[in-house]
Amino acid sequence: MPEEAWQSIDVIKNREGEPHVLQQRVEVYGGDHGESTGYTKPGMTHRLVPLTELTKGD
């Protein structure tokens, strides 16, 4: 069974000039025993995430 993940596609600026990351939902298919990374199948769902949320340090 595939798992879902988000793949970053591009960095764009919103109307206020703030950088955001355009991400696309993908389905990730693993190997028979989860040993290999497998392949991804892109979906039609996209989202914009502020770059600051992805680069926050703990």
Side-chain angles (χ1 to χ4, degrees), residues 22-40:
L22 175 63
Q23 294 185 330
Q24 180 177 24
R25 186 184 305 246
V26 294
E27 293 179 350
V28 181
Y29 295 85
D32 292 335
H33 302 287
E35 297 167 353
S36 63
T37 303
Y39 66 96
T40 60

